Amino acid sequence: MRHLADNLLSLVIPTIVVLHLFLAPFTKVEESFNIQATHDVLTHGIPWTRNREQAGCYLREHYDHLTFTGPVPRTFVGPLVLAGASWPSLRVGAGLGGALRGQLIGKTVCRLLRDDQERASHWEDADVRITIARAVLGLYNAYCMVSFRNGVQKAFGRNAANWYTIFQASQFHIMYYSSRTLPNFFAFGLTTLAMRDLLPHAIRSPASRSSRRRYQFALTLLTIAGIVFRSEIAVLLACHTLYLCLQPHISLPLSSIIPAGLLGALIGLGLTIPIDSFFWQKFPLWPELTGFIYNIISKQSLNWGTQPWHFYFTSALPRLLFNPFVYQICIPFALSIPILRWSALDICLPNILFLTIYSFQPHKEWRFVIYIIPPFLAVASAGASWIWTRRSKSFVYRVLSLSLVASTLASFMASFGMLAVSRLNYPGADALNRLHILAGNDTGIVKVHMDTLACMTGVTRFMEKQPPSLEDEGAFWVYDKTEDEQKLLDPLFWQGFDYALAENPKRVIGSWQVLETVEGFAGVGILRPGEGKKDINQDFKLLRKSGWKSDGLGELLGTWGEVVMWKLEDLMRRYVTRGWWLRMKMEPRIRILRKQREGGWGLGGEV
């Protein structure tokens, strides 16, 4: 029964990752390259041809990255693997049929609303591609975290492993971003598996043959991750290699270190150079080396801002660990207990060294050091286990145990509060979904321009409508993301569009009508008891009455997420906060504009 309970508890991690995905299904600009590349591989395939010119023409015509190149090239290894891993699920989904998928999800929402079942028909033909692709990445990272949890159990015992699961699940950033296609989270799974093999083992000597094999495998994984995905992992690799080599009770010999590094380099370079040289049509190309030269050697990363030296220690690390009890009590406790101290130091010291060295880089972001969070949580879980198992032995331990439970519950609540805020930051995706609904009866060629803010806040190629079949009379949609200021100031440029998604309508030249305004997050306000109560069923009926319907999984999940959040808010206000609540303030972000033709349409306001 204990093993069953432990296994069920470990499922909390993938469950919360998927919950974050479903409640916040859209992506932002930081994820754009990898999500667009995954779309292009899935949609257009790979041009298998020996003729380099033909392959280049095909890539320029169908792929997004050669038009919107960005400051440095990024690797296609992650998107290629993600597309390949997602493809079988997409084929199964296509075989089941969109109508069946839509009916099943629609009925779930209807039951949640306790309303009639007829509206389930409005969930047909949901576009699941982006959700499946992100789910594959999220579940892969969740698997790596569960595998790390098993390593914690071998190092510190069952209770510590369970506390690691709870700490990790209650932390916001990793749970929210695990399914997001940032390069760091393509690397995160590999680094987490490496960190698992660098954990101490309770019943094996660090110098044993099996331990050395684990260390070698860890160094190989870190080498691959650093070469293919993120160059800062090279610093992490160097710190752990140095520690394993110099620490007397480990003393990993060079005869073990060099083959592990060479194997990782061979695999990493063997993947990234041929794949990326082909997709970028430049040979030889090693994207992470190019990025390192651009950001570090040429110091171009300074253009994105700088932070003080102590940023990672005083800001990033506390935010990533999330629960103050973790870094103020649990980690110091583990370091102070003699039986835990040396194992905790073996975990902490090389990661602190990495954090110290990388702090000399002026441009800092929390995602650059995300790889060291599972090891620090492992040390915290050892301290939490020590406190929890002694809760009945003294008053101090009893108070600490109650504080541990209270802080963890507060972390879960804060994490879901941040999720509620974060899911409101995608007005671009909401605007494009609304446009597809508002223009659902259009035929012929429909051209829409999407401005920079729309493209940065959720719009991806996965959301673009596919061309209609020969039997259909639907519209053929053409999407434009022009950023050139000279073109945007030319009145002739705007004559070719039927619709526009614009942050500032005054920059859209010509006569246009505002069909709808999409809002985005603008802060938090306090609601008193009785204020701002939301009638879920009434709101849903108003949406249906105004002609609203589901149009792709993004719109479906957005609405489903709203229903869930409304329900949670209602329950919390009724039974926990006695009517008090924090309500998100919204402000107009993107206008949906339609070109005004002769005679006019009489909808919306004129620009």
Side-chain angles (χ1 to χ4, degrees), residues 322-348:
F322 205 64
N323 185 344
F325 203 87
V326 164
Y327 55 86
Q328 292 179 1
I329 302 296
C330 292
I331 292 178
F333 222 92
L335 293 170
S336 67
I337 303 299
I339 197 172
L340 300 176
R341 182 179 300 141
W342 290 110
S343 294
L345 286 173
D346 284 343
I347 297 172
C348 287

PDB file of all heavy atoms in Angstrom, residues 322-348:
ATOM      1  N   PHE A 322      10.434  29.198  -4.452  1.00  0.00           N
ATOM      2  CA  PHE A 322       9.047  29.592  -4.260  1.00  0.00           C
ATOM      3  C   PHE A 322       8.601  29.604  -2.804  1.00  0.00           C
ATOM      4  O   PHE A 322       8.121  30.609  -2.301  1.00  0.00           O
ATOM      5  CB  PHE A 322       8.124  28.686  -5.088  1.00  0.00           C
ATOM      6  CG  PHE A 322       6.823  29.326  -5.447  1.00  0.00           C
ATOM      7  CD1 PHE A 322       6.786  30.441  -6.267  1.00  0.00           C
ATOM      8  CD2 PHE A 322       5.635  28.830  -4.967  1.00  0.00           C
ATOM      9  CE1 PHE A 322       5.594  31.054  -6.601  1.00  0.00           C
ATOM     10  CE2 PHE A 322       4.426  29.430  -5.300  1.00  0.00           C
ATOM     11  CZ  PHE A 322       4.410  30.539  -6.117  1.00  0.00           C
ATOM     12  N   ASN A 323       8.745  28.484  -2.113  1.00  0.00           N
ATOM     13  CA  ASN A 323       8.299  28.363  -0.726  1.00  0.00           C
ATOM     14  C   ASN A 323       9.401  28.877   0.209  1.00  0.00           C
ATOM     15  O   ASN A 323      10.474  28.286   0.278  1.00  0.00           O
ATOM     16  CB  ASN A 323       7.985  26.897  -0.419  1.00  0.00           C
ATOM     17  CG  ASN A 323       7.410  26.698   0.968  1.00  0.00           C
ATOM     18  OD1 ASN A 323       7.493  27.566   1.831  1.00  0.00           O
ATOM     19  ND2 ASN A 323       6.819  25.535   1.198  1.00  0.00           N
ATOM     20  N   PRO A 324       9.173  29.974   0.936  1.00  0.00           N
ATOM     21  CA  PRO A 324      10.235  30.497   1.820  1.00  0.00           C
ATOM     22  C   PRO A 324      10.731  29.494   2.837  1.00  0.00           C
ATOM     23  O   PRO A 324      11.911  29.525   3.217  1.00  0.00           O
ATOM     24  CB  PRO A 324       9.559  31.696   2.503  1.00  0.00           C
ATOM     25  CG  PRO A 324       8.442  32.081   1.601  1.00  0.00           C
ATOM     26  CD  PRO A 324       7.963  30.808   0.966  1.00  0.00           C
ATOM     27  N   PHE A 325       9.853  28.600   3.285  1.00  0.00           N
ATOM     28  CA  PHE A 325      10.258  27.597   4.269  1.00  0.00           C
ATOM     29  C   PHE A 325      11.340  26.677   3.700  1.00  0.00           C
ATOM     30  O   PHE A 325      12.178  26.168   4.446  1.00  0.00           O
ATOM     31  CB  PHE A 325       9.039  26.761   4.680  1.00  0.00           C
ATOM     32  CG  PHE A 325       9.178  26.094   6.016  1.00  0.00           C
ATOM     33  CD1 PHE A 325       8.817  26.754   7.181  1.00  0.00           C
ATOM     34  CD2 PHE A 325       9.667  24.807   6.112  1.00  0.00           C
ATOM     35  CE1 PHE A 325       8.943  26.131   8.422  1.00  0.00           C
ATOM     36  CE2 PHE A 325       9.793  24.175   7.342  1.00  0.00           C
ATOM     37  CZ  PHE A 325       9.433  24.844   8.500  1.00  0.00           C
ATOM     38  N   VAL A 326      11.336  26.486   2.376  1.00  0.00           N
ATOM     39  CA  VAL A 326      12.314  25.613   1.732  1.00  0.00           C
ATOM     40  C   VAL A 326      13.726  26.145   1.906  1.00  0.00           C
ATOM     41  O   VAL A 326      14.640  25.415   2.331  1.00  0.00           O
ATOM     42  CB  VAL A 326      11.970  25.451   0.231  1.00  0.00           C
ATOM     43  CG1 VAL A 326      13.152  24.884  -0.545  1.00  0.00           C
ATOM     44  CG2 VAL A 326      10.751  24.552   0.054  1.00  0.00           C
ATOM     45  N   TYR A 327      13.939  27.436   1.586  1.00  0.00           N
ATOM     46  CA  TYR A 327      15.310  27.955   1.620  1.00  0.00           C
ATOM     47  C   TYR A 327      15.670  28.632   2.939  1.00  0.00           C
ATOM     48  O   TYR A 327      16.844  28.855   3.208  1.00  0.00           O
ATOM     49  CB  TYR A 327      15.558  28.909   0.439  1.00  0.00           C
ATOM     50  CG  TYR A 327      14.590  30.065   0.304  1.00  0.00           C
ATOM     51  CD1 TYR A 327      14.782  31.252   0.997  1.00  0.00           C
ATOM     52  CD2 TYR A 327      13.495  29.975  -0.547  1.00  0.00           C
ATOM     53  CE1 TYR A 327      13.899  32.314   0.858  1.00  0.00           C
ATOM     54  CE2 TYR A 327      12.605  31.029  -0.697  1.00  0.00           C
ATOM     55  CZ  TYR A 327      12.820  32.197   0.008  1.00  0.00           C
ATOM     56  OH  TYR A 327      11.952  33.240  -0.131  1.00  0.00           O
ATOM     57  N   GLN A 328      14.689  28.927   3.779  1.00  0.00           N
ATOM     58  CA  GLN A 328      15.002  29.538   5.067  1.00  0.00           C
ATOM     59  C   GLN A 328      15.132  28.516   6.195  1.00  0.00           C
ATOM     60  O   GLN A 328      15.857  28.760   7.167  1.00  0.00           O
ATOM     61  CB  GLN A 328      13.927  30.564   5.436  1.00  0.00           C
ATOM     62  CG  GLN A 328      13.913  31.784   4.533  1.00  0.00           C
ATOM     63  CD  GLN A 328      12.814  32.767   4.899  1.00  0.00           C
ATOM     64  OE1 GLN A 328      12.057  32.556   5.840  1.00  0.00           O
ATOM     65  NE2 GLN A 328      12.708  33.848   4.146  1.00  0.00           N
ATOM     66  N   ILE A 329      14.449  27.387   6.089  1.00  0.00           N
ATOM     67  CA  ILE A 329      14.452  26.388   7.164  1.00  0.00           C
ATOM     68  C   ILE A 329      14.968  25.041   6.676  1.00  0.00           C
ATOM     69  O   ILE A 329      15.918  24.486   7.243  1.00  0.00           O
ATOM     70  CB  ILE A 329      13.037  26.216   7.757  1.00  0.00           C
ATOM     71  CG1 ILE A 329      12.506  27.549   8.294  1.00  0.00           C
ATOM     72  CG2 ILE A 329      13.049  25.152   8.851  1.00  0.00           C
ATOM     73  CD1 ILE A 329      13.291  28.120   9.449  1.00  0.00           C
ATOM     74  N   CYS A 330      14.361  24.483   5.625  1.00  0.00           N
ATOM     75  CA  CYS A 330      14.643  23.084   5.237  1.00  0.00           C
ATOM     76  C   CYS A 330      16.076  22.887   4.773  1.00  0.00           C
ATOM     77  O   CYS A 330      16.761  21.937   5.206  1.00  0.00           O
ATOM     78  CB  CYS A 330      13.664  22.635   4.153  1.00  0.00           C
ATOM     79  SG  CYS A 330      11.963  22.497   4.730  1.00  0.00           S
ATOM     80  N   ILE A 331      16.556  23.731   3.864  1.00  0.00           N
ATOM     81  CA  ILE A 331      17.929  23.561   3.380  1.00  0.00           C
ATOM     82  C   ILE A 331      18.941  23.798   4.504  1.00  0.00           C
ATOM     83  O   ILE A 331      19.862  22.973   4.695  1.00  0.00           O
ATOM     84  CB  ILE A 331      18.182  24.474   2.164  1.00  0.00           C
ATOM     85  CG1 ILE A 331      17.356  23.981   0.970  1.00  0.00           C
ATOM     86  CG2 ILE A 331      19.672  24.506   1.808  1.00  0.00           C
ATOM     87  CD1 ILE A 331      17.490  24.828  -0.278  1.00  0.00           C
ATOM     88  N   PRO A 332      18.841  24.889   5.280  1.00  0.00           N
ATOM     89  CA  PRO A 332      19.777  25.033   6.413  1.00  0.00           C
ATOM     90  C   PRO A 332      19.696  23.867   7.403  1.00  0.00           C
ATOM     91  O   PRO A 332      20.723  23.468   7.972  1.00  0.00           O
ATOM     92  CB  PRO A 332      19.319  26.349   7.068  1.00  0.00           C
ATOM     93  CG  PRO A 332      18.681  27.125   5.962  1.00  0.00           C
ATOM     94  CD  PRO A 332      18.009  26.099   5.124  1.00  0.00           C
ATOM     95  N   PHE A 333      18.510  23.330   7.607  1.00  0.00           N
ATOM     96  CA  PHE A 333      18.348  22.206   8.523  1.00  0.00           C
ATOM     97  C   PHE A 333      19.122  20.989   8.022  1.00  0.00           C
ATOM     98  O   PHE A 333      19.829  20.317   8.787  1.00  0.00           O
ATOM     99  CB  PHE A 333      16.860  21.860   8.662  1.00  0.00           C
ATOM    100  CG  PHE A 333      16.448  21.558  10.066  1.00  0.00           C
ATOM    101  CD1 PHE A 333      15.954  22.553  10.897  1.00  0.00           C
ATOM    102  CD2 PHE A 333      16.564  20.276  10.579  1.00  0.00           C
ATOM    103  CE1 PHE A 333      15.578  22.285  12.196  1.00  0.00           C
ATOM    104  CE2 PHE A 333      16.183  19.996  11.878  1.00  0.00           C
ATOM    105  CZ  PHE A 333      15.685  21.015  12.693  1.00  0.00           C
ATOM    106  N   ALA A 334      18.995  20.700   6.709  1.00  0.00           N
ATOM    107  CA  ALA A 334      19.710  19.555   6.138  1.00  0.00           C
ATOM    108  C   ALA A 334      21.217  19.728   6.248  1.00  0.00           C
ATOM    109  O   ALA A 334      21.955  18.758   6.487  1.00  0.00           O
ATOM    110  CB  ALA A 334      19.296  19.368   4.681  1.00  0.00           C
ATOM    111  N   LEU A 335      21.687  20.956   6.083  1.00  0.00           N
ATOM    112  CA  LEU A 335      23.123  21.218   6.174  1.00  0.00           C
ATOM    113  C   LEU A 335      23.635  21.186   7.608  1.00  0.00           C
ATOM    114  O   LEU A 335      24.838  21.012   7.839  1.00  0.00           O
ATOM    115  CB  LEU A 335      23.442  22.584   5.547  1.00  0.00           C
ATOM    116  CG  LEU A 335      23.224  22.690   4.033  1.00  0.00           C
ATOM    117  CD1 LEU A 335      23.335  24.135   3.577  1.00  0.00           C
ATOM    118  CD2 LEU A 335      24.227  21.811   3.283  1.00  0.00           C
ATOM    119  N   SER A 336      22.735  21.321   8.572  1.00  0.00           N
ATOM    120  CA  SER A 336      23.153  21.364   9.983  1.00  0.00           C
ATOM    121  C   SER A 336      23.121  19.995  10.653  1.00  0.00           C
ATOM    122  O   SER A 336      23.741  19.805  11.710  1.00  0.00           O
ATOM    123  CB  SER A 336      22.266  22.337  10.768  1.00  0.00           C
ATOM    124  OG  SER A 336      20.925  21.847  10.852  1.00  0.00           O
ATOM    125  N   ILE A 337      22.406  19.033  10.091  1.00  0.00           N
ATOM    126  CA  ILE A 337      22.296  17.692  10.685  1.00  0.00           C
ATOM    127  C   ILE A 337      23.501  16.856  10.240  1.00  0.00           C
ATOM    128  O   ILE A 337      23.705  16.664   9.038  1.00  0.00           O
ATOM    129  CB  ILE A 337      20.985  17.008  10.259  1.00  0.00           C
ATOM    130  CG1 ILE A 337      19.785  17.863  10.634  1.00  0.00           C
ATOM    131  CG2 ILE A 337      20.881  15.620  10.871  1.00  0.00           C
ATOM    132  CD1 ILE A 337      19.617  18.126  12.102  1.00  0.00           C
ATOM    133  N   PRO A 338      24.319  16.340  11.173  1.00  0.00           N
ATOM    134  CA  PRO A 338      25.552  15.630  10.780  1.00  0.00           C
ATOM    135  C   PRO A 338      25.325  14.484   9.801  1.00  0.00           C
ATOM    136  O   PRO A 338      26.104  14.315   8.864  1.00  0.00           O
ATOM    137  CB  PRO A 338      26.092  15.118  12.128  1.00  0.00           C
ATOM    138  CG  PRO A 338      25.573  16.094  13.130  1.00  0.00           C
ATOM    139  CD  PRO A 338      24.215  16.497  12.639  1.00  0.00           C
ATOM    140  N   ILE A 339      24.243  13.719   9.986  1.00  0.00           N
ATOM    141  CA  ILE A 339      24.037  12.557   9.132  1.00  0.00           C
ATOM    142  C   ILE A 339      23.645  12.945   7.708  1.00  0.00           C
ATOM    143  O   ILE A 339      23.821  12.174   6.761  1.00  0.00           O
ATOM    144  CB  ILE A 339      22.970  11.620   9.760  1.00  0.00           C
ATOM    145  CG1 ILE A 339      23.043  10.244   9.117  1.00  0.00           C
ATOM    146  CG2 ILE A 339      21.571  12.225   9.629  1.00  0.00           C
ATOM    147  CD1 ILE A 339      22.165   9.216   9.804  1.00  0.00           C
ATOM    148  N   LEU A 340      23.122  14.164   7.537  1.00  0.00           N
ATOM    149  CA  LEU A 340      22.710  14.634   6.208  1.00  0.00           C
ATOM    150  C   LEU A 340      23.723  15.588   5.581  1.00  0.00           C
ATOM    151  O   LEU A 340      23.682  15.815   4.369  1.00  0.00           O
ATOM    152  CB  LEU A 340      21.363  15.360   6.299  1.00  0.00           C
ATOM    153  CG  LEU A 340      20.155  14.580   6.812  1.00  0.00           C
ATOM    154  CD1 LEU A 340      18.941  15.511   6.920  1.00  0.00           C
ATOM    155  CD2 LEU A 340      19.835  13.420   5.874  1.00  0.00           C
ATOM    156  N   ARG A 341      24.624  16.134   6.405  1.00  0.00           N
ATOM    157  CA  ARG A 341      25.426  17.281   5.976  1.00  0.00           C
ATOM    158  C   ARG A 341      26.263  16.992   4.733  1.00  0.00           C
ATOM    159  O   ARG A 341      26.250  17.747   3.763  1.00  0.00           O
ATOM    160  CB  ARG A 341      26.329  17.729   7.120  1.00  0.00           C
ATOM    161  CG  ARG A 341      27.181  18.956   6.774  1.00  0.00           C
ATOM    162  CD  ARG A 341      28.035  19.342   7.962  1.00  0.00           C
ATOM    163  NE  ARG A 341      27.186  19.651   9.116  1.00  0.00           N
ATOM    164  CZ  ARG A 341      27.476  19.318  10.366  1.00  0.00           C
ATOM    165  NH1 ARG A 341      28.589  18.643  10.614  1.00  0.00           N
ATOM    166  NH2 ARG A 341      26.675  19.637  11.358  1.00  0.00           N
ATOM    167  N   TRP A 342      27.003  15.874   4.718  1.00  0.00           N
ATOM    168  CA  TRP A 342      27.932  15.646   3.617  1.00  0.00           C
ATOM    169  C   TRP A 342      27.207  15.366   2.313  1.00  0.00           C
ATOM    170  O   TRP A 342      27.626  15.825   1.239  1.00  0.00           O
ATOM    171  CB  TRP A 342      28.902  14.521   3.969  1.00  0.00           C
ATOM    172  CG  TRP A 342      29.865  14.933   5.026  1.00  0.00           C
ATOM    173  CD1 TRP A 342      29.922  14.498   6.318  1.00  0.00           C
ATOM    174  CD2 TRP A 342      30.897  15.914   4.895  1.00  0.00           C
ATOM    175  NE1 TRP A 342      30.919  15.141   7.019  1.00  0.00           N
ATOM    176  CE2 TRP A 342      31.544  16.022   6.158  1.00  0.00           C
ATOM    177  CE3 TRP A 342      31.344  16.716   3.849  1.00  0.00           C
ATOM    178  CZ2 TRP A 342      32.599  16.877   6.388  1.00  0.00           C
ATOM    179  CZ3 TRP A 342      32.405  17.580   4.070  1.00  0.00           C
ATOM    180  CH2 TRP A 342      33.020  17.657   5.326  1.00  0.00           C
ATOM    181  N   SER A 343      26.122  14.631   2.395  1.00  0.00           N
ATOM    182  CA  SER A 343      25.331  14.398   1.174  1.00  0.00           C
ATOM    183  C   SER A 343      24.735  15.703   0.661  1.00  0.00           C
ATOM    184  O   SER A 343      24.724  15.965  -0.551  1.00  0.00           O
ATOM    185  CB  SER A 343      24.212  13.393   1.458  1.00  0.00           C
ATOM    186  OG  SER A 343      24.738  12.118   1.760  1.00  0.00           O
ATOM    187  N   ALA A 344      24.252  16.543   1.581  1.00  0.00           N
ATOM    188  CA  ALA A 344      23.679  17.826   1.182  1.00  0.00           C
ATOM    189  C   ALA A 344      24.748  18.731   0.573  1.00  0.00           C
ATOM    190  O   ALA A 344      24.498  19.434  -0.417  1.00  0.00           O
ATOM    191  CB  ALA A 344      23.030  18.505   2.393  1.00  0.00           C
ATOM    192  N   LEU A 345      25.944  18.720   1.137  1.00  0.00           N
ATOM    193  CA  LEU A 345      27.025  19.533   0.584  1.00  0.00           C
ATOM    194  C   LEU A 345      27.437  19.056  -0.799  1.00  0.00           C
ATOM    195  O   LEU A 345      27.744  19.865  -1.687  1.00  0.00           O
ATOM    196  CB  LEU A 345      28.232  19.510   1.532  1.00  0.00           C
ATOM    197  CG  LEU A 345      28.100  20.340   2.811  1.00  0.00           C
ATOM    198  CD1 LEU A 345      29.289  20.083   3.732  1.00  0.00           C
ATOM    199  CD2 LEU A 345      27.989  21.829   2.480  1.00  0.00           C
ATOM    200  N   ASP A 346      27.471  17.726  -1.006  1.00  0.00           N
ATOM    201  CA  ASP A 346      27.810  17.193  -2.329  1.00  0.00           C
ATOM    202  C   ASP A 346      26.828  17.668  -3.394  1.00  0.00           C
ATOM    203  O   ASP A 346      27.198  17.818  -4.570  1.00  0.00           O
ATOM    204  CB  ASP A 346      27.817  15.662  -2.288  1.00  0.00           C
ATOM    205  CG  ASP A 346      29.057  15.106  -1.601  1.00  0.00           C
ATOM    206  OD1 ASP A 346      30.044  15.867  -1.458  1.00  0.00           O
ATOM    207  OD2 ASP A 346      29.046  13.926  -1.218  1.00  0.00           O
ATOM    208  N   ILE A 347      25.595  17.888  -2.999  1.00  0.00           N
ATOM    209  CA  ILE A 347      24.587  18.375  -3.945  1.00  0.00           C
ATOM    210  C   ILE A 347      24.693  19.889  -4.119  1.00  0.00           C
ATOM    211  O   ILE A 347      24.661  20.403  -5.246  1.00  0.00           O
ATOM    212  CB  ILE A 347      23.173  17.996  -3.463  1.00  0.00           C
ATOM    213  CG1 ILE A 347      23.017  16.467  -3.429  1.00  0.00           C
ATOM    214  CG2 ILE A 347      22.109  18.615  -4.363  1.00  0.00           C
ATOM    215  CD1 ILE A 347      21.734  16.006  -2.778  1.00  0.00           C
ATOM    216  N   CYS A 348      24.847  20.595  -3.019  1.00  0.00           N
ATOM    217  CA  CYS A 348      24.753  22.061  -3.067  1.00  0.00           C
ATOM    218  C   CYS A 348      26.001  22.740  -3.619  1.00  0.00           C
ATOM    219  O   CYS A 348      25.894  23.698  -4.406  1.00  0.00           O
ATOM    220  CB  CYS A 348      24.472  22.609  -1.659  1.00  0.00           C
ATOM    221  SG  CYS A 348      22.788  22.314  -1.078  1.00  0.00           S
TER     222      CYS A 348
END
